[in-house]
Amino acid sequence: MLSHWLWFAFRITSVFFGGGTPSLAKPSTIASILETVAKASRLSHNVEVSLEANPTSVSTSKLAEFKKAGVTRISIGIQALHNHDLKILGRDHTVHEAVWSLEEARKLYPGCTSVDIIFGRPGQSLELWEEELEEILTLCDHHVSLYQLTLERGTALYKQVQEKVVSMPEQDEVANMYHAARSILEKAGFHQYEVSNFAKNGAVSLHNLGYWKGMQYLGVGPGAHGRFVPWGEGKTQREARIQTLEPDNWLREVRQFGHGTRKRVQQSELDILEEMLVLGLRMNEGLAHQRWRQYSPLLGLEDALEDSPEVQRYLQEELLILDDRGLRCSWKGLAFLDSLLPTLLHQLQHSYRNSASHCF
């Protein structure tokens, strides 16, 4: 069944093992999956194979075995450099374990080890965050991913906040943390290539760039999402596919039907353009006109957005830049992307419907 899914004209340029804790898997399992993918498709000779790792689930020998299995890039979920905060976040590793795993990973994957860190944590101040980030820079390799903490219903932390056992920083304070982090990382030689991701010496995540550039991708495993044209089924329209969320149910469906796809929806041209806008503006390079026209030959970026007074205000305030290159956020605008997107999406939908009505 996998070969049926993977039959399409383009090479696979990256494979990403993420979600949950894939580093708990045996390296032989990772090797077997990569062998199956290679047999069922055309793997690029320099394919990027990334694996998310929890500090408590990897030893030096296991990291080495993952490399032998075909993994080329490791992302270590350090999350925090304070044991108290790690407990609040529900992590089962200590700072000592996090630092040790990072040091070992850097030896085996030099230039290809990424660090995940969370800010906006309960009780965290701007000063403490700056000190922590400076310490991380003495430890990390060439890639850092920053994520603002979001509270999810049903979690222990959500309950603690609701019951006022712990308190979250104010939004202004969190915004200052993000601004400070961008400045600190820039001074340290890191280039911000996406809202949450920073790299130096060109150590960007090619797999994640594929998402943000609107490339096709397959999602395999419990809860995985995919966006691709199923040419192997004789189709020509791109689909959004979602795998069954619950692992036991997913596995049962795979055994029974040969796959765990729970939902498949054909994507309209507008669906694809909306995703391109939302994801493309996450990158500092933004959306290129050429890329946009591949999916929207009759409605350019200027035609889609410039009629909106709100969009004009964003351009005048230099939150957005629309020029010969395409559409992108300014340095200042990237920090406000979430507040800009609703207006941009509304205007795109309005312009698209007007354009479509004029075609009939």
Side-chain angles (χ1 to χ4, degrees):
M1 190 65 186
L2 186 62
S3 61
H4 187 60
W5 277 9
L6 293 183
W7 190 90
F8 56 93
F10 300 107
R11 288 185 182 276
I12 288 181
T13 57
S14 64
V15 179
F16 192 95
F17 293 93
T21 312
S23 53
L24 288 172
K26 294 179 181 178
S28 59
T29 300
I30 301 298
S32 178
I33 292 171
L34 291 174
E35 284 175 23
T36 302
V37 173
K39 289 176 183 176
S41 67
R42 296 193 303 156
L43 274 181
S44 177
H45 72 280
N46 59 344
V47 61
E48 177 190 271
V49 180
S50 304
L51 182 136
E52 291 183 338
N54 185 304
T56 57
S57 63
V58 286
S59 60
T60 303
S61 60
K62 196 170 186 181
L63 284 169
E65 288 173 27
F66 278 135
K67 186 171 185 176
K68 193 180 296 184
V71 174
T72 64
R73 183 184 181 92
I74 287 282
S75 179
I76 305 290
I78 286 182
Q79 315 305 3
L81 285 182
H82 298 288
N83 286 322
H84 174 70
D85 286 358
L86 288 171
K87 286 183 179 179
I88 288 177
L89 293 171
R91 309 297 174 177
D92 62 357
H93 65 270
T94 64
V95 172
H96 175 77
E97 289 169 328
V99 171
W100 178 87
S101 64
L102 178 56
E103 289 173 345
E104 294 303 303
R106 287 179 62 189
K107 294 174 188 174
L108 288 163
Y109 302 86
C112 296
T113 300
S114 180
V115 170
D116 289 357
I117 192 80
I118 293 174
F119 68 98
R121 308 189 302 259
Q124 189 178 38
S125 66
L126 176 60
E127 184 179 2
L128 288 173
W129 166 236
E130 289 176 333
E131 291 174 0
E132 186 174 16
L133 194 54
E134 293 284 4
E135 186 177 353
I136 287 168
L137 289 175
T138 67
L139 303 168
C140 73
D141 196 37
H142 293 166
H143 195 278
V144 176
S145 296
L146 302 178
Y147 299 108
Q148 181 182 336
L149 178 62
T150 54
L151 293 176
E152 295 184 11
R153 289 180 179 275
T155 62
L157 180 56
Y158 181 87
K159 184 179 179 182
Q160 287 178 321
V161 172
Q162 291 298 108
E163 295 176 350
K164 302 190 185 309
V165 176
V166 296
S167 60
M168 300 291 289
E170 296 294 331
Q171 277 304 113
D172 286 349
E173 183 84 340
V174 174
N176 289 336
M177 290 180 192
Y178 181 64
H179 288 304
R182 297 172 80 195
S183 297
I184 290 170
L185 286 162
E186 184 180 38
K187 288 176 184 175
F190 283 82
H191 169 65
Q192 182 177 18
Y193 67 101
E194 191 267 347
V195 171
S196 302
N197 288 275
F198 303 76
K200 63 180 179 180
N201 299 326
V204 300
S205 168
L206 297 178
H207 186 86
N208 285 337
L209 275 175
Y211 291 138
W212 302 320
K213 290 183 176 181
M215 295 172 67
Q216 297 185 64
Y217 60 95
L218 296 168
V220 181
H225 289 230
R227 300 286 189 278
F228 62 97
V229 179
W231 284 303
E233 297 177 0
K235 304 251 179 103
T236 58
Q237 189 170 355
R238 181 161 159 157
E239 291 186 1
R241 295 198 183 185
I242 302 174
Q243 303 268 296
T244 295
L245 179 61
E246 305 82 5
D248 290 343
N249 292 341
W250 179 85
L251 189 57
R252 183 168 57 252
E253 290 170 15
V254 169
R255 288 170 175 163
Q256 185 175 353
F257 307 115
H259 66 85
T261 301
R262 177 63 60 92
K263 185 178 182 181
R264 50 189 295 181
V265 179
Q266 287 190 340
Q267 288 192 289
S268 67
E269 184 177 84
L270 181 58
D271 291 334
I272 294 172
L273 293 178
E274 287 174 343
E275 287 191 357
M276 284 185 65
L277 186 66
V278 170
L279 297 174
L281 287 180
R282 291 185 63 88
M283 299 181 291
N284 74 319
E285 66 182 49
L287 273 167
H289 288 297
Q290 183 180 4
R291 181 72 178 167
W292 181 266
R293 290 193 189 106
Q294 289 177 358
Y295 294 93
S296 180
L298 301 179
L299 184 68
L301 281 167
E302 300 97 333
D303 299 328
L305 300 172
E306 280 191 331
D307 285 347
S308 165
E310 291 90 347
V311 174
Q312 286 298 326
R313 181 166 58 84
Y314 296 157
L315 293 168
Q316 291 165 7
E317 293 177 359
E318 298 184 345
L319 296 172
L320 288 175
I321 300 169
L322 181 58
D323 57 16
D324 292 342
R325 285 170 48 188
L327 177 70
R328 62 193 179 278
C329 289
S330 64
W331 168 266
K332 179 172 67 172
L334 203 59
F336 296 99
L337 178 59
D338 286 347
S339 61
L340 303 180
L341 283 174
T343 296
L344 293 169
L345 286 169
H346 177 76
Q347 181 59 32
L348 170 60
Q349 292 158 3
H350 176 74
S351 300
Y352 184 88
R353 292 184 181 112
N354 280 347
S355 175
S357 67
H358 291 154
C359 293
F360 295 98

Coordinates of all heavy atoms in Angstrom, one line a residue, residues 72-76 101-102 105-115 140-144:
T72 N 20.1 11.8 9.5 CA 21.2 12.8 9.3 C 21.1 14.1 10.1 O 22.0 14.9 10.1 CB 21.1 13.2 7.8 OG1 19.9 13.9 7.5 CG2 21.3 12.0 6.8
R73 N 19.9 14.2 10.8 CA 19.7 15.4 11.6 C 18.9 15.1 12.9 O 17.9 14.3 12.8 CB 18.9 16.4 10.7 CG 18.6 17.8 11.4 CD 17.7 18.6 10.4 NE 17.5 19.9 11.0 CZ 18.2 21.0 10.8 NH1 19.2 20.9 10.0 NH2 17.9 22.2 11.3
I74 N 19.3 15.6 14.0 CA 18.7 15.3 15.3 C 18.1 16.6 15.9 O 18.8 17.7 15.8 CB 19.7 14.7 16.3 CG1 20.0 13.3 15.9 CG2 19.2 14.7 17.7 CD1 18.9 12.3 16.2
S75 N 16.9 16.5 16.4 CA 16.3 17.7 17.1 C 16.1 17.3 18.6 O 15.3 16.4 18.8 CB 15.0 18.1 16.5 OG 14.4 19.1 17.1
I76 N 16.8 17.9 19.5 CA 16.7 17.6 20.9 C 15.7 18.5 21.6 O 15.9 19.7 21.6 CB 18.1 17.7 21.6 CG1 19.2 16.9 20.8 CG2 18.0 17.3 23.0 CD1 19.0 15.4 21.0
S101 N 22.8 14.9 26.5 CA 22.3 14.4 25.2 C 22.7 15.4 24.1 O 23.0 14.9 23.0 CB 20.8 14.2 25.3 OG 20.1 15.4 25.5
L102 N 22.6 16.7 24.4 CA 22.9 17.7 23.3 C 24.4 17.6 23.0 O 24.8 17.6 21.8 CB 22.6 19.1 23.8 CG 22.9 20.2 22.9 CD1 22.3 20.0 21.6 CD2 22.5 21.5 23.5
A105 N 25.0 14.5 20.9 CA 24.4 14.6 19.6 C 25.3 15.5 18.7 O 25.5 15.2 17.5 CB 23.0 15.2 19.7
R106 N 25.8 16.5 19.3 CA 26.7 17.4 18.5 C 27.9 16.8 18.0 O 28.4 17.1 16.9 CB 27.1 18.7 19.3 CG 25.9 19.7 19.6 CD 26.4 20.8 20.4 NE 27.4 21.6 19.8 CZ 28.1 22.5 20.4 NH1 27.9 22.8 21.6 NH2 29.1 23.2 19.7
K107 N 28.4 15.8 18.8 CA 29.6 15.0 18.3 C 29.3 14.2 17.1 O 30.1 14.0 16.2 CB 30.1 14.2 19.5 CG 30.7 14.9 20.7 CD 31.0 13.9 21.8 CE 31.4 14.7 23.1 NZ 31.6 13.7 24.2
L108 N 28.1 13.6 17.1 CA 27.7 12.6 16.1 C 27.1 13.3 14.9 O 27.2 12.9 13.7 CB 26.8 11.6 16.6 CG 27.4 10.6 17.5 CD1 26.3 9.8 18.3 CD2 28.2 9.5 16.7
Y109 N 26.4 14.5 15.1 CA 25.7 15.2 14.0 C 26.2 16.7 14.0 O 25.4 17.6 14.2 CB 24.2 15.1 14.3 CG 23.6 13.7 14.3 CD1 23.6 13.0 15.5 CD2 23.1 13.1 13.2 CE1 23.1 11.7 15.6 CE2 22.6 11.9 13.2 CZ 22.6 11.2 14.4 OH 22.0 9.9 14.5
P110 N 27.5 16.9 13.8 CA 28.0 18.3 13.8 C 27.3 19.1 12.7 O 27.3 18.7 11.6 CB 29.5 18.1 13.6 CG 29.6 16.8 12.9 CD 28.5 16.0 13.5
G111 N 26.8 20.3 13.1 CA 26.1 21.2 12.2 C 24.7 20.7 11.9 O 24.0 21.4 11.1
C112 N 24.3 19.6 12.4 CA 22.9 19.1 12.1 C 22.2 18.7 13.4 O 21.4 17.7 13.4 CB 23.0 17.9 11.2 SG 23.7 18.2 9.6
T113 N 22.4 19.4 14.5 CA 21.7 19.2 15.7 C 20.9 20.4 16.1 O 21.5 21.5 16.2 CB 22.7 18.9 16.9 OG1 23.5 17.7 16.5 CG2 22.0 18.6 18.2
S114 N 19.6 20.2 16.3 CA 18.8 21.4 16.6 C 18.3 21.3 18.0 O 18.2 20.2 18.6 CB 17.5 21.4 15.6 OG 16.7 22.4 15.9
V115 N 18.0 22.4 18.6 CA 17.6 22.5 20.0 C 16.2 23.2 20.0 O 15.9 24.2 19.4 CB 18.5 23.4 20.8 CG1 17.9 23.7 22.2 CG2 19.8 22.7 21.0
C140 N 24.5 25.0 22.3 CA 23.8 24.5 21.1 C 24.7 24.5 19.9 O 25.8 25.0 19.9 CB 22.5 25.3 20.8 SG 22.9 27.0 20.2
D141 N 24.2 23.9 18.8 CA 24.9 23.7 17.6 C 24.5 24.9 16.6 O 24.5 26.0 17.0 CB 24.5 22.4 17.0 CG 25.5 21.9 15.9 OD1 26.7 22.2 16.0 OD2 25.0 21.3 14.9
H142 N 24.0 24.6 15.5 CA 23.7 25.6 14.4 C 22.2 25.9 14.2 O 21.9 26.6 13.3 CB 24.3 25.2 13.1 CG 25.8 25.2 13.2 ND1 26.6 24.6 12.2 CD2 26.7 25.7 14.1 CE1 27.9 24.8 12.5 NE2 28.0 25.5 13.6
H143 N 21.4 25.3 15.1 CA 19.9 25.5 14.8 C 19.2 25.6 16.2 O 19.4 24.8 17.1 CB 19.3 24.4 14.0 CG 18.0 24.7 13.4 ND1 16.8 24.5 14.2 CD2 17.6 25.2 12.2 CE1 15.8 24.9 13.4 NE2 16.2 25.3 12.2
V144 N 18.3 26.6 16.3 CA 17.5 26.8 17.5 C 16.0 27.0 17.1 O 15.7 27.8 16.2 CB 18.0 28.0 18.3 CG1 17.0 28.2 19.5 CG2 19.4 27.8 18.8

